[in-house]
Amino acid sequence: MISANLAAVSYLVSGILFILALRGLSSPDTSRQGNYFGIAGMIIAIVVTFLSVGNFSSSLSYVIIFLLIGGAIGAFIAFKIPMTAMPELVAGFHSLVGLAAVFVAIAAFLNPAAFNLGNVGNIKLASLIEMSIGAAVGAITFSGSIIAFLKLRGIMSGAPITFSGQHMLNLILGIGIFVLIFYLCKTQSTNIFWTVIVISFLVGVLLIIPIGGADMPVVISMLNSYSGWAAAGIGFTLENTALIITGALVGSSGAILSYIMCKAMNRSFVSVILGGFGADNSTNDNKEKKDQKPVKSGNAEDAAFLMKNASSVIIVPGYGMAVAQAQHALREMVDKLKKNDIKVTYAIHPVAGRMPGHMNVLLAEANVPYDEVFELEDINNDFANSDVAFVIGANDVTNPVAKTDPKSPIFGMPVLDVEKCKSVLFVKRSLSPGYAGIDNELFYKDNTLMLFADAKKMTEDIVKNLD
Amino acid sequence: MEIDPFIFRLSIFILSIFIGYYVVWSVTPSLHTPLMSVTNAISSVIIVGAIIAALAGNSDSIFNTSSIFGFIAIILAAINIFGGFLVTQRMLQMYKKKKDKKK
């Protein structure tokens, strides 16, 4: 048994270690060290909790057994998961944090004495408010993340599901949660507590179903943020500094990522949450007309010829590369080009892929050095001086319409200036529009050569033709 | 008059939000995916609440209603802790600098 003060100081130390863990991520060189800080912080928090409870009865052995069961499952997943499945893994992990928050809140509600929060039916008012908010946010995180997981995994269609009165219903349920928490504080009724949790589960589902596949980077970041706020809510209940600090860190981290993602799509956070993006087919007429325009298409041989004669090539990867698992073939192609003394760099749009930094991880997996990979603002000026842009699996993020047509739904979104390259190679399966549901003008430019094929197959064919 | 301890916790909370704000803005965009997985792992420090709940059972009834929720929460949080840190580690191992600088 250690004193409460020592325990509090130790929790502060683990909070600081978590801050250092995030700080380490400011550069790939320090990031690994940062991760060790995080692990150390977690070990301190867990050990101190054991020592401060000091109840070394037979329960302890069960706690350790359960810890190891969970740990084994987690470790198994971490080693087995393919890098392309990272977005759904993160969504799945968020749901677990949410559910754990709900369960801790339930446990505290049923047995407040164990947490020094008063007695059953007479829980301290502040604690009751904190635990019900923690439980509600946790429940929303849980069910919302499950829906995000199902959409990312492809078990559920990525198309937005909307119905009339949806936002009204969400609003009413949201207000309902607050009213119920108010009555919960007055009556301490168990039934109301359960009702709050059930409604929150429902809100989580309703919040995420109207959001389309292309908005997933925002959704994942948002749920990341929610899981942090849920942890902070529980931290207030348990009067635990480590949880409060961590909750605040994670909450603001997720919020910043959501903001960055929204800005990269030039969309407001509210419009993403209201959802329905990509379901709108009002631009369809427009598209059919444009389909008549001539398109130049080529094969792997043409592409290989163009690139061989170039002196600099910029690769623009997108979600399609992840789907086709083309990153390794791509890396092979780049190696061949480099042997011919061609300068190759990668340009990554912030919302390429299904989560922040998705493309960077896939390229890193394929052994692409991170100093060859550039963000939008760092490389956008280079397109004008480059010979070939190789667009693989990206679409909307290269559409020049965003700069020229104020009527376009993506107008104002920062895009990669791919069209300024001397020639553009565009790997795509068909001329179909991307998630924004609009046609890409780039297809019809004179300097664009369309390569209609699966990204991986096309890249492999190009590799063969480069010999 | 004494200050309510809640105010101290609120101060810690608000200051931590500011720390989070500045620290996260300095994270390089290429590491945003590891950032998400590591925040996931650290938010599972919620396991401390789960441990307290699970240890609250007495020797007569190790598994009462409240502690069962604690035990389940331990499993959930442990999956996240191990899974989150290990997958972050795995990702970070892949970020390499150019090795052969041919000049």
Side-chain angles (χ1 to χ4, degrees):
Chain A
M1 190 95 182
I2 57 173
S3 78
N5 284 340
L6 183 59
V9 172
S10 312
Y11 284 133
L12 180 64
V13 171
S14 71
I16 292 170
L17 286 168
F18 291 152
I19 295 172
L20 293 175
L22 299 191
R23 178 76 196 134
L25 290 170
S26 55
S27 136
D29 297 329
T30 55
S31 60
R32 273 158 286 222
Q33 195 193 15
N35 203 35
Y36 292 126
F37 281 133
I39 295 170
M42 189 60 74
I43 292 172
I44 291 176
I46 293 175
V47 170
V48 166
T49 309
F50 279 135
L51 294 177
S52 61
V53 174
N55 172 4
F56 294 109
S57 63
S58 43
S59 312
L60 184 69
S61 47
Y62 284 101
V63 168
I64 292 178
I65 291 170
F66 280 75
L67 191 76
L68 292 178
I69 294 174
I73 300 172
F76 179 77
I77 298 172
F79 286 117
K80 284 283 165 199
I81 192 91
M83 283 300 144
T84 38
M86 208 45 76
E88 50 262 47
L89 178 74
V90 168
F93 278 168
H94 287 157
S95 74
L96 297 182
V97 179
L99 196 59
V102 174
F103 283 175
V104 173
I106 293 175
F109 184 77
L110 296 176
N111 187 4
F115 296 88
N116 288 325
L117 305 174
N119 295 304
V120 179
N122 187 23
I123 301 172
K124 280 189 279 181
L125 179 66
S127 309
L128 196 58
I129 298 174
E130 290 153 6
M131 75 172 75
S132 34
I133 291 176
V137 180
I140 294 174
T141 312
F142 170 71
S143 55
S145 301
I146 293 286
I147 300 295
F149 174 83
L150 293 176
K151 285 194 171 194
L152 288 163
R153 190 85 218 166
I155 299 170
M156 205 175 139
S157 155
I161 300 169
T162 48
F163 52 88
S164 63
Q166 193 165 22
H167 305 314
M168 205 39 154
L169 180 64
N170 287 345
L171 188 69
I172 291 170
L173 289 177
I175 295 171
I177 290 176
F178 281 103
V179 173
L180 283 172
I181 291 178
F182 179 75
Y183 279 105
L184 176 64
C185 295
K186 278 185 128 175
T187 61
Q188 305 250 348
S189 147
T190 319
N191 286 339
I192 296 186
F193 185 71
W194 292 115
T195 317
V196 168
I197 293 177
V198 170
I199 295 183
S200 305
F201 279 134
L202 193 62
V203 170
V205 173
L206 289 171
L207 264 183
I208 308 302
I209 52 168
I211 303 179
D215 283 337
M216 275 304 153
V218 183
V219 170
I220 297 195
S221 322
M222 184 182 86
L223 291 167
N224 187 233
S225 179
Y226 285 2
S227 69
W229 304 132
I234 302 296
F236 276 103
T237 319
L238 306 185
E239 312 186 341
N240 182 305
T241 338
L243 255 175
I244 295 176
I245 296 177
T246 314
L249 290 177
V250 177
S252 52
S253 159
I256 291 172
L257 289 177
S258 316
Y259 169 80
I260 295 175
M261 292 300 117
C262 284
K263 217 175 131 224
M265 293 193 287
N266 191 36
R267 307 196 43 212
S268 76
F269 188 68
V270 175
S271 78
V272 172
I273 296 307
L274 293 182
F277 197 59
D280 184 19
N281 287 325
S282 58
T283 47
N284 261 1
D285 305 338
N286 203 358
K287 182 192 139 210
E288 272 156 32
K289 262 180 260 155
K290 276 189 178 170
D291 274 354
Q292 311 299 325
K293 285 207 280 183
V295 169
K296 279 199 287 184
S297 78
N299 56 27
E301 217 175 305
D302 305 328
F305 178 79
L306 258 172
M307 282 198 272
K308 246 194 226 167
N309 291 304
S311 61
S312 57
V313 174
I314 299 180
I315 314 256
V316 182
Y319 182 58
M321 180 189 82
V323 175
Q325 300 262 19
Q327 65 270 31
H328 298 283
L330 184 68
R331 156 83 207 218
E332 231 181 288
M333 184 187 95
V334 170
D335 283 346
K336 289 246 160 91
L337 292 175
K338 278 193 199 153
K339 265 188 207 145
N340 290 330
D341 274 332
I342 299 165
K343 185 181 165 237
V344 185
T345 45
Y346 299 80
I348 300 199
H349 191 277
V351 291
R354 282 293 174 271
M355 73 184 293
H358 193 184
M359 290 301 121
N360 303 77
V361 172
L362 292 183
L363 292 177
E365 188 201 8
N367 279 322
V368 172
Y370 63 82
D371 38 8
E372 287 175 11
V373 182
F374 296 92
E375 301 300 316
L376 172 95
E377 59 266 33
D378 298 327
I379 199 166
N380 228 2
N381 292 329
D382 294 356
F383 281 106
N385 309 319
S386 295
D387 299 318
V388 177
F390 186 74
V391 183
I392 175 164
N395 185 2
D396 293 330
V397 297
T398 61
N399 197 340
V401 161
K403 288 175 283 188
T404 52
D405 180 7
K407 275 179 289 182
S408 163
I410 61 166
F411 180 72
M413 166 172 138
V415 288
L416 292 158
D417 296 334
V418 173
E419 77 281 359
K420 290 189 183 153
C421 257
K422 284 198 196 87
S423 42
V424 178
L425 294 168
F426 208 113
V427 184
K428 206 168 178 311
R429 263 177 281 186
S430 67
L431 277 179
S432 62
Y435 268 98
I438 51 161
D439 210 22
N440 194 339
E441 263 190 11
L442 198 59
F443 299 165
Y444 314 104
K445 296 260 180 194
D446 286 338
N447 58 346
T448 304
L449 188 67
M450 298 298 295
L451 307 168
F452 293 114
D454 172 75
K456 189 176 175 189
K457 203 180 161 296
M458 176 54 75
T459 315
E460 282 166 353
D461 287 349
I462 295 175
V463 171
K464 277 180 214 148
N465 279 293
L466 279 173
D467 287 325
Chain B
M1 223 175 100
E2 262 193 71
I3 302 171
D4 189 330
F6 173 79
I7 300 300
F8 285 117
R9 286 191 279 277
L10 191 66
S11 320
I12 294 174
F13 179 64
I14 291 172
L15 290 175
S16 302
I17 292 178
F18 277 91
I19 294 174
Y21 180 85
Y22 289 107
V23 169
V24 172
W25 271 117
S26 73
V27 171
T28 162
S30 66
L31 290 176
H32 276 163
T33 298
L35 170 69
M36 298 196 87
S37 62
V38 86
T39 50
N40 224 310
I42 65 173
S43 57
S44 303
V45 72
I46 199 155
I47 198 169
V48 302
I51 293 173
I52 296 173
L55 286 180
N58 50 43
S59 46
D60 303 329
S61 60
I62 294 170
F63 296 102
N64 58 38
T65 342
S66 146
S67 70
I68 285 176
F69 280 110
F71 279 114
I72 303 173
I74 288 179
I75 295 192
L76 298 175
I79 295 177
N80 251 323
I81 293 173
F82 283 72
F85 280 124
L86 289 173
V87 88
T88 309
Q89 194 66 18
R90 210 181 121 199
M91 271 190 271
L92 295 176
Q93 298 295 357
M94 300 185 314
Y95 282 83
K96 291 186 197 94
K97 256 195 178 152
K98 228 179 291 184
K99 264 185 247 152
D100 48 326
K101 277 181 187 158
K102 42 180 182 180
K103 257 181 189 175

